Amino acid sequence: MKKLLYLLLIAPMLCSSCIDEPDISPNTNVGNFEALWKIIDTKYCYLNYKNINWDSIHRVYAQQVDSSLNKYEFFDLMGKMLAELKDGHVNLYSEFDRSRYWKWFTDYPPNFSSSLINSPRYLGNNYRSVGGMRYNVISGGNIGYIYYGDFSDRFSDTSVRNIFEYFKDCKGLIIDVRNNGGGYLDLSEQLASYFFKNDTITGYMSYKTGDGHSDFSTPVAVKTPGHKTLQWERPLVVLANRMSYSATNSFVCRIKMAAKATVVGDKTGGGGGLPLSSEIPNGWMVRFSASPMFDADMNHTEWGIDPDLKVNLDSADASKGYDTIIEKAIRLISQ
Amino acid sequence: MKKWFIVLFVFFYMQTTAQNAELRKYPLTTVSDVAGFSVLNILDSYLSPLTYSGMAIFYERTGQKLFSPENTSVSMQGRFRTLAGLTVNPQSTASITYLGAGYSWGAYYHFQITNELRLQAGSLIDAGFAVKQNARNVNNPYNFDLATNLNLSANANYDIATKRRTIRVSFGFETPLMGCMFVPESGMSYYELFGLKNYTNAVHFSSLHNKQGLSVHTSIEIPFKYSTWKFGIGSNELKYKANDMVFKHNEYMLLIGLKYNLYRFIGTKNSAPENFISTYK
């Protein structure tokens, strides 16, 4: 009995050596660089898709990292390394700054003017607002217009029901998601569901299953459910630009499959990789794309979604108080 | 004569009833209510590769009673435990909040080695649930500790008689043998898990090959005039691995509590004697 008890007592101690804890790099510039490089090397999902040679990036940046760099210099260098990924979902967060890559919209025409949409011709001063949606009737009361600028602003079915009721005499609806940088994916699903009669496969998603650059799970279907009680059955035009990113990119990807929807404006900014977070020994957090999302034809959505009708904001129109993209949407619905 | 018969009948009836009442044994539930502070270390590779450290408070209620009052060798035990903690990463730039609770139930066999020393050995089935939140994270801000286990447990109680009272010193340990646990894939977000209901590789069989733990406690129980107080120290160390991720949960505890017998009178068969007054009528 004594032997048995003794054995049972020491067995867990002996077995504890069977599970090795992960090696953590030291909290030095070199250690933090190696930790950051490894996180991207093993968890970032677009290295192969973007043909990025991450080993050569290591060689280039390792030469520049040493203990003489102060924290600002080191942060800037690491931010520069992450910018090689050309991904708006990749950021390094420190206690004093956030690195970012913004060329996915700064290299393109803005195709958006807040002063135009706030002019009396569109939203005006007397618009209504609920759940982050600012809305009003435009074009002589014939068309409903919603500006939704952030998929982090939660809305409810009740709010949307009331908006649809407000637009009950309108021929069609415009949802403007230009300059909407994203937010919650479940909200993009919810907003799209009001325009689908049935559950529809609108995309696919996979995730990394190992450290290798091509270790991915079998993609699972992403369905957009048809909302059971609330449907908009008249024409819908969705306005997008390059700053329509991440969850907004996902919304546009879904809505392109809706029967009576047309996407007008510019190509979206992309952001097709669902980001996750990790951290390095000095406590800085890194956000990175981890789960690639695809459209219904299994095309990557990382570089954006093309509109059905490409329209740029015309400066001559703008000087007259017209938003070229909204005007195109009005004509489409009025046809 | 008739009167005498009645008197004798009543006398013998009362005598028999009294003897039965004396002989009849009721198993009492011995309850231990313990609370305390822990130093808590958490490694959750789904949330962060770094180990977070901090403080926690816990409450634990243990109830133990014999299966049968005739057999003093076998007892059952139920235990509820809840823990709330706040931990930070080594640079204090992020935190993990921990909220957990668990219940275990099992049986012990008692060995009376000497008058002073008694050993108990047995096994417990436990079910635990905990939420860990790293609010700084995006799309992976939560992880759940969801597991059931069959645990092996042993306790030793040694009574030390002093002039005024008998002090009990206890030592015990518990270790998980096998069970199942929830661990998501490291690259999987909670949107995929719960939004798309993709539970691939999320539930794992656990045994000593991928889950090892040891809970140890030492306590001293001191009976006073109206109560028995319990003071002790202990540790819970747990490490497990699944989906190429390692998880660690270490607690080092300081505990204080009360131990007492719970009297239960319920139904018509087990109704309380008249001198036990209850609010329940």
Side-chain angles (χ1 to χ4, degrees):
Chain A
M1 187 65 200
K2 272 184 182 176
K3 278 183 182 174
L4 180 65
L5 281 175
Y6 180 70
L7 188 67
L8 290 171
L9 189 65
I10 63 165
M13 296 175 187
L14 292 173
C15 284
S16 64
S17 59
C18 306
I19 298 178
D20 293 325
E21 289 179 37
D23 292 329
I24 301 297
S25 303
N27 183 17
T28 60
N29 283 350
V30 172
N32 284 304
F33 161 72
E34 292 295 344
L36 182 60
W37 182 88
K38 191 179 175 188
I39 287 169
I40 298 299
D41 185 51
T42 55
K43 295 178 185 293
Y44 183 68
C45 67
Y46 288 129
L47 289 174
N48 274 3
Y49 173 64
K50 295 181 177 178
N51 286 321
I52 295 167
N53 187 335
W54 197 238
D55 289 328
S56 74
I57 300 269
H58 183 277
R59 281 193 292 276
V60 170
Y61 285 87
Q63 293 168 3
Q64 301 172 55
V65 176
D66 61 52
S67 57
S68 68
L69 297 177
N70 66 35
K71 64 179 180 182
Y72 301 103
E73 291 167 334
F74 179 66
F75 179 85
D76 290 342
L77 185 66
M78 293 301 95
K80 196 176 159 194
M81 180 177 82
L82 294 178
E84 304 272 6
L85 299 169
K86 297 182 172 57
D87 191 330
H89 271 155
V90 177
N91 305 93
L92 185 62
Y93 295 79
S94 72
E95 62 275 20
F96 55 85
D97 201 1
R98 174 171 70 106
S99 78
R100 62 265 178 194
Y101 173 81
W102 279 352
K103 286 190 174 181
W104 47 274
F105 69 91
T106 55
D107 283 0
Y108 298 85
N111 282 320
F112 181 76
S113 164
S114 59
S115 61
L116 278 179
I117 67 160
N118 286 316
S119 69
R121 185 171 176 79
Y122 306 115
L123 277 178
N125 289 326
N126 296 319
Y127 63 82
R128 295 184 186 277
S129 177
V130 66
M133 295 181 181
R134 291 186 283 157
Y135 63 100
N136 211 341
V137 287
I138 62 171
S139 189
N142 285 325
I143 292 168
Y145 174 81
I146 300 171
Y147 180 75
Y148 186 49
D150 191 343
F151 269 101
S152 301
D153 289 334
R154 290 215 166 263
F155 54 86
S156 66
D157 285 350
T158 308
S159 304
V160 175
R161 190 184 304 281
N162 279 285
I163 294 173
F164 286 0
E165 193 180 310
Y166 191 70
F167 293 153
K168 66 179 187 299
D169 297 324
C170 295
K171 287 180 183 172
L173 173 64
I174 296 170
I175 297 181
D176 192 343
V177 291
R178 289 176 296 171
N179 277 35
N180 183 331
Y184 299 118
L185 267 182
D186 62 314
L187 289 184
S188 80
E189 179 185 305
Q190 187 181 338
L191 185 56
S193 71
Y194 304 122
F195 306 98
F196 283 86
K197 277 190 174 175
N198 304 306
D199 294 3
T200 307
I201 293 175
T202 49
Y204 292 88
M205 180 184 260
S206 66
Y207 58 89
K208 287 212 71 187
T209 54
D211 291 347
H213 295 180
S214 53
D215 293 343
F216 289 100
S217 64
T218 305
V220 293
V222 177
K223 285 182 183 169
T224 299
H227 200 281
K228 289 185 175 67
T229 58
L230 195 54
Q231 294 283 323
W232 180 267
E233 294 179 332
R234 281 164 271 175
L236 166 73
V237 177
V238 170
L239 312 185
N241 68 349
R242 288 292 299 179
M243 277 195 77
S244 303
Y245 193 75
S246 190
T248 313
N249 195 57
S250 167
F251 171 69
V252 173
C253 180
R254 292 168 190 270
I255 213 71
K256 280 193 81 169
M257 304 281 291
K260 293 187 177 173
T262 309
V263 178
V264 173
D266 202 354
K267 187 176 186 173
T268 60
L274 190 73
L276 293 182
S277 306
S278 188
E279 64 184 321
I280 57 177
N282 64 2
W284 294 354
M285 185 189 91
V286 57
R287 186 177 79 141
F288 55 89
S289 297
S291 303
M293 289 184 277
F294 308 87
D295 66 13
D297 296 323
M298 278 301 292
N299 299 307
H300 275 284
T301 58
E302 168 65 357
W303 298 128
I305 313 284
D306 285 316
D308 296 311
L309 281 173
K310 183 163 171 56
V311 179
N312 283 328
L313 202 65
D314 185 83
S315 56
D317 285 347
S319 65
K320 294 174 198 164
Y322 296 131
D323 185 310
T324 319
I325 299 171
I326 298 179
E327 293 299 325
K328 179 65 182 175
I330 292 171
R331 284 199 297 278
L332 271 175
I333 292 169
S334 304
Q335 276 174 4
Chain B
M1 189 65 187
K2 197 177 177 182
K3 273 184 183 176
W4 277 109
F5 270 119
I6 292 168
V7 170
L8 280 172
F9 177 77
V10 170
F11 174 78
F12 282 116
Y13 176 79
M14 287 175 71
Q15 186 78 358
T16 313
T17 310
Q19 280 176 356
N20 281 345
E22 277 173 21
L23 291 172
R24 188 161 184 185
K25 292 176 179 173
Y26 297 95
L28 291 172
T29 301
T30 304
V31 172
S32 164
D33 280 322
V34 166
F37 292 96
S38 302
V39 172
L40 179 64
N41 296 323
I42 295 173
L43 170 65
D44 186 314
S45 297
Y46 181 79
L47 298 176
S48 168
L50 306 181
T51 299
Y52 281 56
S53 303
M55 296 294 290
I57 52 172
F58 67 90
Y59 165 75
E60 184 178 297
R61 164 169 276 209
T62 310
Q64 189 172 22
K65 71 182 277 192
L66 296 170
F67 273 103
S68 158
E70 311 302 332
N71 182 356
T72 57
S73 297
V74 189
S75 69
M76 64 175 124
Q77 179 185 287
R79 185 180 62 213
F80 169 77
R81 187 170 199 271
T82 182
L83 175 80
L86 181 67
T87 59
V88 294
N89 66 0
Q91 305 303 324
S92 300
T93 57
S95 62
I96 290 179
T97 308
Y98 184 97
L99 280 174
Y103 184 79
S104 61
W105 185 90
Y108 284 96
Y109 194 84
H110 299 223
F111 304 90
Q112 193 73 44
I113 308 299
T114 65
N115 281 341
E116 294 81 21
L117 178 65
R118 188 169 62 168
L119 301 180
Q120 300 175 3
S123 66
L124 300 161
I125 296 168
D126 82 16
F129 175 76
V131 182
K132 288 176 274 188
Q133 184 195 23
N134 187 332
R136 192 171 71 158
N137 281 3
V138 183
N139 290 318
N140 58 335
Y142 297 100
N143 198 8
F144 299 118
D145 280 347
L146 185 61
T148 60
N149 280 297
L150 177 66
N151 296 344
L152 188 73
S153 176
N155 296 304
N157 298 325
Y158 190 80
D159 292 334
I160 302 169
T162 64
K163 272 186 184 176
R164 299 180 64 178
R165 51 178 66 92
T166 300
I167 294 168
R168 172 167 291 179
V169 178
S170 296
F171 171 80
F173 81 91
E174 193 171 323
T175 183
L177 284 182
M178 65 173 78
C180 66
M181 58 185 177
F182 166 86
V183 177
E185 290 257 34
S186 66
M188 190 184 267
S189 69
Y190 270 61
Y191 173 75
E192 289 161 274
L193 203 62
F194 297 114
L196 303 182
K197 295 182 172 51
N198 181 12
Y199 303 117
T200 310
N201 290 335
V203 179
H204 304 264
F205 169 75
S206 66
S207 70
L208 287 175
H209 76 288
N210 64 353
K211 186 171 194 175
Q212 294 128 30
L214 185 64
S215 297
V216 181
H217 72 264
T218 304
S219 64
I220 182 167
E221 291 162 21
I222 307 172
F224 292 99
K225 197 169 183 181
Y226 297 109
S227 57
T228 298
W229 285 79
K230 184 173 179 175
F231 306 92
I233 53 171
S235 67
N236 289 332
E237 294 187 327
L238 181 68
K239 199 192 275 187
Y240 55 97
K241 183 178 183 178
N243 289 334
D244 293 327
M245 289 185 290
V246 175
F247 299 82
K248 190 172 74 176
H249 178 111
N250 290 346
E251 264 184 86
Y252 304 98
M253 302 170 283
L254 193 63
L255 56 93
I256 181 169
L258 275 173
K259 200 164 185 177
Y260 52 93
N261 284 326
L262 202 66
Y263 297 83
R264 192 181 71 164
F265 302 104
I266 191 165
T268 51
K269 279 190 174 177
N270 231 353
S271 59
E274 284 181 3
N275 58 327
F276 285 79
I277 311 299
S278 166
T279 55
Y280 181 81
K281 299 290 180 191

